[in-house]
Tab-separated table of all heavy atoms in Angstrom:
chain	number	residue	atom	x	y	z
Q	1	ARG	N	0.827	-1.204	0.000
Q	1	ARG	CA	0.000	0.000	0.000
Q	1	ARG	C	0.867	1.262	0.000
Q	1	ARG	O	0.644	2.194	-0.771
Q	1	ARG	CB	-0.914	0.010	1.228
Q	1	ARG	CG	-1.762	1.274	1.358
Q	1	ARG	CD	-2.263	1.436	2.777
Q	1	ARG	NE	-3.193	0.373	3.142
Q	1	ARG	CZ	-4.504	0.421	2.910
Q	1	ARG	NH1	-5.048	1.477	2.320
Q	1	ARG	NH2	-5.278	-0.575	3.279
Q	2	TRP	N	1.868	1.290	0.866
Q	2	TRP	CA	2.723	2.470	0.949
Q	2	TRP	C	3.458	2.719	-0.363
Q	2	TRP	O	3.641	3.857	-0.776
Q	2	TRP	CB	3.716	2.310	2.098
Q	2	TRP	CG	3.094	2.483	3.441
Q	2	TRP	CD1	1.935	3.152	3.740
Q	2	TRP	CD2	3.592	1.976	4.685
Q	2	TRP	NE1	1.670	3.078	5.088
Q	2	TRP	CE2	2.670	2.376	5.697
Q	2	TRP	CE3	4.704	1.226	5.041
Q	2	TRP	CZ2	2.860	2.046	7.033
Q	2	TRP	CZ3	4.889	0.900	6.372
Q	2	TRP	CH2	3.977	1.309	7.350
Q	3	ARG	N	3.889	1.629	-1.023
Q	3	ARG	CA	4.606	1.809	-2.292
Q	3	ARG	C	3.670	2.235	-3.415
Q	3	ARG	O	4.061	2.991	-4.304
Q	3	ARG	CB	5.332	0.515	-2.667
Q	3	ARG	CG	6.683	0.381	-1.981
Q	3	ARG	CD	6.566	0.003	-0.532
Q	3	ARG	NE	7.584	0.642	0.305
Q	3	ARG	CZ	7.560	0.582	1.630
Q	3	ARG	NH1	6.595	-0.076	2.267
Q	3	ARG	NH2	8.478	1.194	2.333
Q	4	ILE	N	2.421	1.784	-3.374
Q	4	ILE	CA	1.424	2.249	-4.345
Q	4	ILE	C	1.169	3.741	-4.151
Q	4	ILE	O	1.121	4.528	-5.107
Q	4	ILE	CB	0.121	1.442	-4.204
Q	4	ILE	CG1	0.331	-0.001	-4.679
Q	4	ILE	CG2	-1.014	2.095	-5.003
Q	4	ILE	CD1	-0.821	-0.929	-4.371
Q	5	ILE	N	1.020	4.149	-2.888
Q	5	ILE	CA	0.812	5.563	-2.580
Q	5	ILE	C	1.995	6.392	-3.082
Q	5	ILE	O	1.816	7.472	-3.666
Q	5	ILE	CB	0.612	5.760	-1.071
Q	5	ILE	CG1	-0.705	5.133	-0.621
Q	5	ILE	CG2	0.637	7.249	-0.698
Q	5	ILE	CD1	-0.883	5.068	0.882
Q	6	ASP	N	3.208	5.890	-2.869
Q	6	ASP	CA	4.397	6.608	-3.319
Q	6	ASP	C	4.367	6.851	-4.823
Q	6	ASP	O	4.776	7.919	-5.294
Q	6	ASP	CB	5.661	5.832	-2.950
Q	6	ASP	CG	6.000	5.928	-1.470
Q	6	ASP	OD1	5.469	6.839	-0.798
Q	6	ASP	OD2	6.785	5.092	-0.981
Q	7	GLN	N	3.882	5.871	-5.572
Q	7	GLN	CA	3.824	6.034	-7.023
Q	7	GLN	C	2.825	7.130	-7.412
Q	7	GLN	O	3.089	7.930	-8.318
Q	7	GLN	CB	3.434	4.713	-7.693
Q	7	GLN	CG	4.519	3.652	-7.655
Q	7	GLN	CD	5.780	4.079	-8.370
Q	7	GLN	OE1	5.730	4.680	-9.452
Q	7	GLN	NE2	6.926	3.770	-7.774
Q	8	PHE	N	1.702	7.191	-6.715
Q	8	PHE	CA	0.735	8.260	-7.008
Q	8	PHE	C	1.288	9.623	-6.598
Q	8	PHE	O	1.051	10.630	-7.276
Q	8	PHE	CB	-0.599	7.990	-6.310
Q	8	PHE	CG	-1.474	7.019	-7.045
Q	8	PHE	CD1	-1.609	5.718	-6.603
Q	8	PHE	CD2	-2.162	7.412	-8.188
Q	8	PHE	CE1	-2.412	4.818	-7.293
Q	8	PHE	CE2	-2.960	6.514	-8.883
Q	8	PHE	CZ	-3.087	5.215	-8.437
Q	9	ARG	N	2.023	9.655	-5.507
Q	9	ARG	CA	2.590	10.925	-5.051
Q	9	ARG	C	3.618	11.463	-6.040
Q	9	ARG	O	3.802	12.672	-6.173
Q	9	ARG	CB	3.220	10.763	-3.674
Q	9	ARG	CG	2.202	10.471	-2.568
Q	9	ARG	CD	2.858	10.428	-1.218
Q	9	ARG	NE	3.360	11.758	-0.840
Q	9	ARG	CZ	4.403	11.965	-0.050
Q	9	ARG	NH1	5.081	10.942	0.411
Q	9	ARG	NH2	4.772	13.176	0.261
Q	10	LYS	N	4.296	10.555	-6.756
Q	10	LYS	CA	5.272	10.991	-7.755
Q	10	LYS	C	4.599	11.725	-8.914
Q	10	LYS	O	5.257	12.483	-9.630
Q	10	LYS	CB	6.048	9.781	-8.290
Q	10	LYS	CG	7.013	9.168	-7.287
Q	10	LYS	CD	7.705	7.953	-7.871
Q	10	LYS	CE	8.644	7.308	-6.848
Q	10	LYS	NZ	9.314	6.097	-7.396
Q	11	ARG	N	3.310	11.473	-9.098
Q	11	ARG	CA	2.584	12.156	-10.174
Q	11	ARG	C	2.201	13.582	-9.794
Q	11	ARG	O	1.870	14.388	-10.665
Q	11	ARG	CB	1.294	11.401	-10.498
Q	11	ARG	CG	1.485	9.988	-11.043
Q	11	ARG	CD	0.131	9.363	-11.291
Q	11	ARG	NE	0.210	8.022	-11.879
Q	11	ARG	CZ	-0.860	7.307	-12.213
Q	11	ARG	NH1	-2.082	7.806	-12.002
Q	11	ARG	NH2	-0.714	6.112	-12.752
Q	12	LEU	N	2.227	13.879	-8.489
Q	12	LEU	CA	1.769	15.180	-8.010
Q	12	LEU	C	2.890	16.204	-8.077
Q	12	LEU	O	4.067	15.859	-7.995
Q	12	LEU	CB	1.269	15.061	-6.569
Q	12	LEU	CG	0.125	14.069	-6.324
Q	12	LEU	CD1	-0.172	13.977	-4.833
Q	12	LEU	CD2	-1.121	14.492	-7.092
Q	13	PRO	N	2.528	17.493	-8.204
Q	13	PRO	CA	3.553	18.544	-8.162
Q	13	PRO	C	4.257	18.529	-6.812
Q	13	PRO	O	3.717	18.059	-5.813
Q	13	PRO	CB	2.737	19.837	-8.350
Q	13	PRO	CG	1.439	19.410	-8.926
Q	13	PRO	CD	1.178	18.029	-8.398
Q	14	GLU	N	5.472	19.064	-6.795
Q	14	GLU	CA	6.219	19.150	-5.542
Q	14	GLU	C	5.442	19.986	-4.536
Q	14	GLU	O	4.860	21.018	-4.869
Q	14	GLU	CB	7.587	19.804	-5.777
Q	14	GLU	CG	8.581	18.919	-6.520
Q	14	GLU	CD	9.015	17.737	-5.687
Q	14	GLU	OE1	9.005	17.862	-4.448
Q	14	GLU	OE2	9.361	16.689	-6.263
Q	15	SER	N	5.405	19.522	-3.287
Q	15	SER	CA	4.703	20.265	-2.244
Q	15	SER	C	5.573	20.290	-0.999
Q	15	SER	O	6.427	19.425	-0.804
Q	15	SER	CB	3.357	19.600	-1.924
Q	15	SER	OG	3.561	18.263	-1.529
Q	16	PRO	N	5.364	21.270	-0.114
Q	16	PRO	CA	6.168	21.339	1.113
Q	16	PRO	C	6.010	20.076	1.934
Q	16	PRO	O	4.918	19.484	1.973
Q	16	PRO	CB	5.576	22.555	1.854
Q	16	PRO	CG	4.899	23.345	0.786
Q	16	PRO	CD	4.394	22.353	-0.214
Q	17	PRO	N	7.070	19.599	2.581
Q	17	PRO	CA	6.979	18.380	3.397
Q	17	PRO	C	6.003	18.552	4.547
Q	17	PRO	O	5.917	19.615	5.152
Q	17	PRO	CB	8.412	18.175	3.910
Q	17	PRO	CG	9.047	19.525	3.817
Q	17	PRO	CD	8.417	20.199	2.624
Q	18	SER	N	5.248	17.499	4.818
Q	18	SER	CA	4.281	17.543	5.912
Q	18	SER	C	4.960	17.186	7.214
Q	18	SER	O	5.904	16.399	7.262
Q	18	SER	CB	3.145	16.544	5.630
Q	18	SER	OG	2.345	16.356	6.760
Q	19	GLU	N	4.468	17.756	8.319
Q	19	GLU	CA	5.010	17.408	9.630
Q	19	GLU	C	4.687	15.972	9.981
Q	19	GLU	O	5.426	15.301	10.677
Q	19	GLU	CB	4.439	18.344	10.702
Q	19	GLU	CG	4.923	19.788	10.557
Q	19	GLU	CD	4.376	20.656	11.668
Q	19	GLU	OE1	3.688	20.108	12.557
Q	19	GLU	OE2	4.633	21.865	11.668
Q	20	ASP	N	3.552	15.503	9.485
Q	20	ASP	CA	3.151	14.120	9.747
Q	20	ASP	C	3.170	13.372	8.422
Q	20	ASP	O	2.160	13.192	7.770
Q	20	ASP	CB	1.749	14.080	10.375
Q	20	ASP	CG	1.366	12.678	10.850
Q	20	ASP	OD1	2.127	11.741	10.535
Q	20	ASP	OD2	0.337	12.547	11.516
Q	21	LEU	N	4.360	12.948	7.987
Q	21	LEU	CA	4.525	12.357	6.673
Q	21	LEU	C	3.711	11.096	6.492
Q	21	LEU	O	3.059	10.912	5.464
Q	21	LEU	CB	6.012	12.051	6.433
Q	21	LEU	CG	6.375	11.439	5.069
Q	21	LEU	CD1	5.950	12.372	3.956
Q	21	LEU	CD2	7.870	11.157	4.995
Q	22	GLU	N	3.703	10.206	7.502
Q	22	GLU	CA	2.998	8.946	7.340
Q	22	GLU	C	1.498	9.160	7.218
Q	22	GLU	O	0.825	8.507	6.443
Q	22	GLU	CB	3.304	8.008	8.516
Q	22	GLU	CG	4.707	7.439	8.480
Q	22	GLU	CD	4.988	6.686	7.190
Q	22	GLU	OE1	4.129	5.888	6.779
Q	22	GLU	OE2	6.037	6.911	6.583
Q	23	THR	N	0.941	10.091	7.999
Q	23	THR	CA	-0.493	10.375	7.901
Q	23	THR	C	-0.819	10.919	6.529
Q	23	THR	O	-1.802	10.514	5.888
Q	23	THR	CB	-0.914	11.386	8.986
Q	23	THR	OG1	-0.638	10.829	10.262
Q	23	THR	CG2	-2.394	11.706	8.861
Q	24	ASN	N	0.014	11.850	6.042
Q	24	ASN	CA	-0.200	12.420	4.725
Q	24	ASN	C	-0.091	11.332	3.657
Q	24	ASN	O	-0.865	11.290	2.709
Q	24	ASN	CB	0.839	13.513	4.460
Q	24	ASN	CG	0.585	14.246	3.156
Q	24	ASN	OD1	-0.498	14.774	2.955
Q	24	ASN	ND2	1.578	14.270	2.294
Q	25	ARG	N	0.880	10.439	3.855
Q	25	ARG	CA	1.094	9.342	2.920
Q	25	ARG	C	-0.136	8.459	2.833
Q	25	ARG	O	-0.509	7.986	1.773
Q	25	ARG	CB	2.305	8.527	3.403
Q	25	ARG	CG	2.813	7.484	2.440
Q	25	ARG	CD	3.929	6.710	3.109
Q	25	ARG	NE	4.770	6.076	2.140
Q	25	ARG	CZ	5.791	5.284	2.467
Q	25	ARG	NH1	6.063	5.073	3.744
Q	25	ARG	NH2	6.532	4.719	1.537
Q	26	GLU	N	-0.775	8.238	3.965
Q	26	GLU	CA	-1.934	7.357	4.020
Q	26	GLU	C	-3.182	7.991	3.415
Q	26	GLU	O	-3.974	7.322	2.785
Q	26	GLU	CB	-2.242	6.973	5.472
Q	26	GLU	CG	-1.304	5.940	6.040
Q	26	GLU	CD	-1.507	4.592	5.383
Q	26	GLU	OE1	-2.649	4.262	5.034
Q	26	GLU	OE2	-0.519	3.882	5.193
Q	27	THR	N	-3.389	9.296	3.636
Q	27	THR	CA	-4.667	9.890	3.291
Q	27	THR	C	-4.658	10.703	2.013
Q	27	THR	O	-5.701	10.880	1.395
Q	27	THR	CB	-5.147	10.805	4.432
Q	27	THR	OG1	-4.189	11.845	4.630
Q	27	THR	CG2	-5.303	10.010	5.711
Q	28	ALA	N	-3.500	11.163	1.580
Q	28	ALA	CA	-3.473	12.107	0.473
Q	28	ALA	C	-3.943	11.496	-0.831
Q	28	ALA	O	-4.530	12.171	-1.658
Q	28	ALA	CB	-2.051	12.651	0.299
Q	29	THR	N	-3.681	10.204	-1.044
Q	29	THR	CA	-3.952	9.621	-2.339
Q	29	THR	C	-4.867	8.409	-2.278
Q	29	THR	O	-5.905	8.376	-2.911
Q	29	THR	CB	-2.621	9.193	-2.998
Q	29	THR	OG1	-1.749	10.322	-3.028
Q	29	THR	CG2	-2.859	8.723	-4.422
Q	30	ILE	N	-4.471	7.432	-1.481
Q	30	ILE	CA	-5.122	6.137	-1.562
Q	30	ILE	C	-6.588	6.184	-1.165
Q	30	ILE	O	-7.415	5.471	-1.717
Q	30	ILE	CB	-4.364	5.095	-0.710
Q	30	ILE	CG1	-4.621	3.671	-1.227
Q	30	ILE	CG2	-4.719	5.189	0.748
Q	30	ILE	CD1	-3.997	3.376	-2.562
Q	31	ASP	N	-6.942	7.041	-0.214
Q	31	ASP	CA	-8.332	7.095	0.220
Q	31	ASP	C	-9.241	7.683	-0.845
Q	31	ASP	O	-10.456	7.510	-0.788
Q	31	ASP	CB	-8.458	7.929	1.511
Q	31	ASP	CG	-7.903	7.192	2.722
Q	31	ASP	OD1	-7.709	5.969	2.602
Q	31	ASP	OD2	-7.658	7.836	3.746
Q	32	ARG	N	-8.670	8.384	-1.814
Q	32	ARG	CA	-9.487	8.987	-2.848
Q	32	ARG	C	-9.644	8.090	-4.068
Q	32	ARG	O	-10.461	8.356	-4.931
Q	32	ARG	CB	-8.858	10.327	-3.301
Q	32	ARG	CG	-8.785	11.379	-2.222
Q	32	ARG	CD	-8.646	12.759	-2.843
Q	32	ARG	NE	-7.494	12.852	-3.725
Q	32	ARG	CZ	-6.289	13.268	-3.342
Q	32	ARG	NH1	-6.080	13.594	-2.074
Q	32	ARG	NH2	-5.287	13.331	-4.197
Q	33	LEU	N	-8.859	7.020	-4.131
Q	33	LEU	CA	-8.842	6.219	-5.338
Q	33	LEU	C	-10.189	5.607	-5.704
Q	33	LEU	O	-10.648	5.775	-6.818
Q	33	LEU	CB	-7.780	5.120	-5.232
Q	33	LEU	CG	-6.333	5.589	-5.265
Q	33	LEU	CD1	-5.407	4.384	-5.177
Q	33	LEU	CD2	-6.041	6.387	-6.517
Q	34	PRO	N	-10.863	4.882	-4.812
Q	34	PRO	CA	-12.119	4.268	-5.219
Q	34	PRO	C	-13.152	5.286	-5.675
Q	34	PRO	O	-13.844	5.068	-6.655
Q	34	PRO	CB	-12.577	3.530	-3.948
Q	34	PRO	CG	-11.309	3.297	-3.198
Q	34	PRO	CD	-10.483	4.522	-3.455
Q	35	ALA	N	-13.267	6.403	-4.980
Q	35	ALA	CA	-14.283	7.392	-5.320
Q	35	ALA	C	-13.980	8.071	-6.649
Q	35	ALA	O	-14.873	8.409	-7.408
Q	35	ALA	CB	-14.373	8.450	-4.216
Q	36	SER	N	-12.680	8.292	-6.946
Q	36	SER	CA	-12.341	9.049	-8.138
Q	36	SER	C	-12.166	8.178	-9.369
Q	36	SER	O	-12.406	8.606	-10.478
Q	36	SER	CB	-11.045	9.836	-7.898
Q	36	SER	OG	-9.984	8.936	-7.624
Q	37	SER	N	-11.729	6.923	-9.196
Q	37	SER	CA	-11.422	6.103	-10.361
Q	37	SER	C	-12.342	4.914	-10.543
Q	37	SER	O	-12.267	4.220	-11.539
Q	37	SER	CB	-9.983	5.571	-10.242
Q	37	SER	OG	-9.875	4.691	-9.138
Q	38	GLY	N	-13.210	4.663	-9.575
Q	38	GLY	CA	-14.113	3.530	-9.679
Q	38	GLY	C	-13.465	2.199	-9.347
Q	38	GLY	O	-14.076	1.154	-9.514
Q	39	GLU	N	-12.223	2.214	-8.871
Q	39	GLU	CA	-11.551	0.972	-8.517
Q	39	GLU	C	-12.086	0.440	-7.189
Q	39	GLU	O	-12.654	1.175	-6.388
Q	39	GLU	CB	-10.040	1.209	-8.399
Q	39	GLU	CG	-9.373	1.665	-9.679
Q	39	GLU	CD	-9.285	0.564	-10.722
Q	39	GLU	OE1	-9.472	-0.608	-10.341
Q	39	GLU	OE2	-9.048	0.883	-11.885
Q	40	LEU	N	-11.876	-0.866	-6.981
Q	40	LEU	CA	-12.264	-1.467	-5.711
Q	40	LEU	C	-11.380	-0.929	-4.595
Q	40	LEU	O	-10.237	-0.561	-4.828
Q	40	LEU	CB	-12.093	-2.984	-5.787
Q	40	LEU	CG	-13.064	-3.772	-6.649
Q	40	LEU	CD1	-12.601	-5.213	-6.737
Q	40	LEU	CD2	-14.469	-3.700	-6.103
């Protein structure tokens, strides 16, 4: 899961580092995938 998230984050523009990197890693991309792409 973390490596999948990392791949999606590479598609995003550079952004300032978050104080809570792991939380940002978990919520920034993967939680939006099913709603935005129709994936399971």
Side-chain angles (χ1 to χ4, degrees):
R1 177 199 294 273
W2 286 338
R3 276 76 216 171
I4 291 171
I5 292 170
D6 285 343
Q7 289 299 318
F8 279 104
R9 293 185 67 209
K10 290 178 182 179
R11 296 179 177 182
L12 302 175
E14 288 292 332
S15 58
S18 168
E19 292 182 3
D20 188 351
L21 181 59
E22 287 303 314
T23 300
N24 186 56
R25 190 184 202 183
E26 284 291 326
T27 60
T29 306
I30 205 69
D31 287 345
R32 297 201 304 267
L33 290 181
S36 61
S37 65
E39 298 289 344
L40 289 172

